[in-house]
């Protein structure tokens, strides 16, 4: 996409974004989801990699999900520590598939590791194989394909990766072959992975996001009726927190639906939740039923009180992620 077209598309949505309270909207397809936010060392920028769905596609009925296929990962950048974001284009990922979903990025020994869900085509239903692949980059722009992960299933999506306290790494992900339960796999080096099977004694879900904050391990999972919260002292045994975050619609025009598939950025003693919402309750849906496919990225601050996480989605927040290290 040319810089002129990017600018025009961004300006076209700028007023709507500011008025609606959304943090970010994709200016091409208006289907931003599944954000993964990472610092870009040496530039002062933060980058958002996100699933970029074709929410503006006309024609398919509600049973046809081809609009969530067929796009590469979108990229946005922030030069003000996460307060505002500008579209940069799509990520050049040599992943060997036409559909890219739900990136997760970790940094180790000066190298960025992306774990990306890929789908080998554009499908009108959900019955298609999916896999998680591993890519690496030194600069978050040029990527090398390291291979497809063997996780013992042909229907795995949504990697969430975290360093373990005793060394090595663990990945949590959704295994659709096991009733969409959250599974885990371990690796000593981010290249070789050993599946461990089911990892949470909870309901089906997707988009697991593990993070460390205030002396605990946390995981947020999209259960499709709000975000489930789990906590642990060792990243092995997880305890579910009662209730769901973002289960009830918010008040802002673009936030009148359940919150879905979140990322968390810990900034010192604060933690910011980046989630997406479909536009079911947006005013535009009254005149255009397909408008509900559109999705936007929102931000909220996590609050921890006596070991319980909460969030006020109606409280305006300006993310302050700090300067990238």
């Amino acid at each position: 996409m040319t810089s002129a077209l990017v600018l025009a598309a961004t300006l076209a949505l700028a007023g709507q974004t500011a008025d609606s309270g959304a943090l970010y909207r994709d200016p091409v397809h208006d289907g931003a989801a599944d954000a993964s936010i990472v610092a870009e060392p040496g530039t002062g920028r933060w980058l958002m990699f996100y699933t970029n769905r074709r929410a503006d596609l006309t024609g398919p009925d509600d049973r046809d999900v081809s609009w969530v296929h067929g796009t590469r990962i979108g990229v946005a950048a922030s030069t003000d520590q996460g307060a505002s974001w500008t579209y940069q284009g799509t990520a050049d990922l040599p992943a060997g598939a036409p559909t890219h979903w739900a990136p997760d990025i970790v940094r180790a020994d000066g190298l960025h590791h992306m774990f990306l869900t890929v789908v080998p085509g554009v499908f009108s239903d959900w019955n298609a194989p999916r896999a998680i692949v591993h890519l690496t980059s030194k600069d978050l722009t040029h990527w090398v394909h390291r291979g497809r992960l063997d996780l013992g299933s042909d229907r795995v999506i949504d990697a969430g990766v975290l360093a373990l306290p005793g060394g090595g790494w663990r990945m949590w992900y959704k295994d659709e072959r096991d009733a969409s339960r959250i599974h885990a796999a371990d690796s000593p080096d981010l290249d070789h992975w050993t599946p461990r099977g089911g990892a949470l004694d909870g309901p089906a879900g997707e988009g697991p996001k593990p993070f460390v904050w205030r002396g605990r391990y946390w995981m947020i999972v999209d259960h499709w009726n709000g975000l489930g919260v789990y906590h642990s002292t060792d990243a092995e045994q997880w305890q579910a927190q009662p209730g769901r975050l973002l289960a009830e619609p918010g008040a802002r025009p673009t936030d009148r639906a359940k919150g879905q598939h979140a990322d968390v950025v810990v900034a010192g003693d604060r933690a910011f939740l980046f989630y997406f919402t479909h536009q079911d309750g947006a005013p535009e849906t009254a005149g255009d039923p397909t408008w509900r496919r559109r999705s936007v990225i929102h931000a909220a601050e996590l609050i921890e009180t006596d070991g319980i996480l909460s969030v006020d989605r109606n409280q305006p927040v300006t993310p302050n992620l700090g300067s990238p290290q």
Side-chain angles (χ1 to χ4, degrees):
M1 189 174 190
T2 67
S3 58
L5 287 175
V6 170
L7 177 59
T10 301
L11 291 175
L13 281 174
Q16 184 176 9
T17 300
D19 293 341
S20 67
L23 180 70
Y24 179 74
R25 299 185 80 144
D26 175 77
V28 180
H29 295 299
D30 205 17
D34 311 340
S36 180
I37 293 172
V38 60
E40 185 181 36
T43 68
R45 301 197 308 173
W46 289 84
L47 297 182
M48 179 193 298
F49 292 79
Y50 60 91
T51 304
N52 183 20
R53 303 182 298 187
R54 298 181 295 163
D56 60 338
L57 187 65
T58 59
D61 61 28
D62 288 342
R63 295 169 296 178
D64 188 327
V65 294
S66 56
W67 61 276
V68 303
H69 297 78
T71 51
R72 291 180 173 269
I73 295 301
V75 184
S78 174
T79 58
D80 54 9
Q81 302 181 355
S84 62
W85 297 83
T86 303
Y87 181 70
Q88 303 295 296
T90 55
D92 185 12
L93 304 176
T99 298
H100 296 175
W101 291 343
D104 188 59
I105 301 173
V106 297
R107 190 181 182 201
D109 300 324
L111 196 63
H112 300 279
H113 297 257
M114 178 187 289
F115 296 91
L116 175 72
T117 300
V118 296
V119 185
V122 175
F123 298 89
S124 61
D125 58 32
W126 297 112
N127 297 314
R130 339 191 201 282
I132 295 172
V133 299
H134 179 201
L135 304 104
T136 56
S137 174
K138 294 180 180 179
D139 59 6
L140 293 169
T141 299
H142 303 92
W143 294 87
V144 176
H145 185 263
R146 299 283 280 261
R148 171 176 170 166
L149 277 58
D150 182 2
L151 299 174
S153 172
D154 65 342
R155 295 281 294 274
V156 292
I157 68 171
D158 296 356
V161 180
L162 190 70
L164 293 175
W169 301 81
R170 182 161 297 157
M171 173 191 297
W172 291 267
Y173 55 93
K174 173 188 176 184
D175 187 347
E176 295 177 342
R177 292 297 187 192
D178 186 21
S180 294
R181 296 175 63 213
I182 301 300
H183 279 223
D186 284 353
S187 174
D189 56 10
L190 294 170
D191 277 308
H192 304 89
W193 293 89
T194 301
R196 294 168 46 94
L200 293 180
D201 291 329
E206 63 188 23
K209 177 59 187 181
F211 60 101
V212 181
W213 186 44
R214 295 190 174 181
R216 271 186 171 183
Y217 292 91
W218 302 90
M219 190 185 306
I220 290 180
V221 179
D222 183 357
H223 289 304
W224 311 304
N225 61 351
L227 304 178
V229 178
Y230 301 80
H231 60 83
S232 173
T233 59
D234 57 7
E236 292 280 352
Q237 303 297 320
W238 294 89
Q239 181 176 343
Q241 173 180 304
R244 297 277 188 271
L245 303 183
L246 306 178
E248 299 300 323
R252 293 174 292 180
T254 58
D255 199 29
R256 295 173 181 168
K258 62 190 176 185
Q260 295 186 253
H261 196 129
D263 191 20
V264 175
V265 179
V266 174
D269 193 48
R270 303 175 73 185
F272 296 94
L273 182 75
F274 296 87
Y275 63 97
F276 84 88
T277 59
H278 283 292
Q279 296 306 286
D280 303 65
E284 293 87 348
T285 305
D288 178 6
T290 66
W291 193 270
R292 64 173 57 93
R293 297 173 180 167
R294 296 171 186 256
S295 54
V296 305
I297 306 296
H298 288 280
E301 184 165 3
L302 287 173
I303 303 299
E304 183 267 327
T305 305
D306 298 329
I308 298 294
L309 294 190
S310 62
V311 64
D312 182 354
R313 69 192 301 171
N314 296 323
Q315 179 66 37
V317 62
T318 300
N320 185 353
L321 306 182
S323 298
Q325 301 297 317

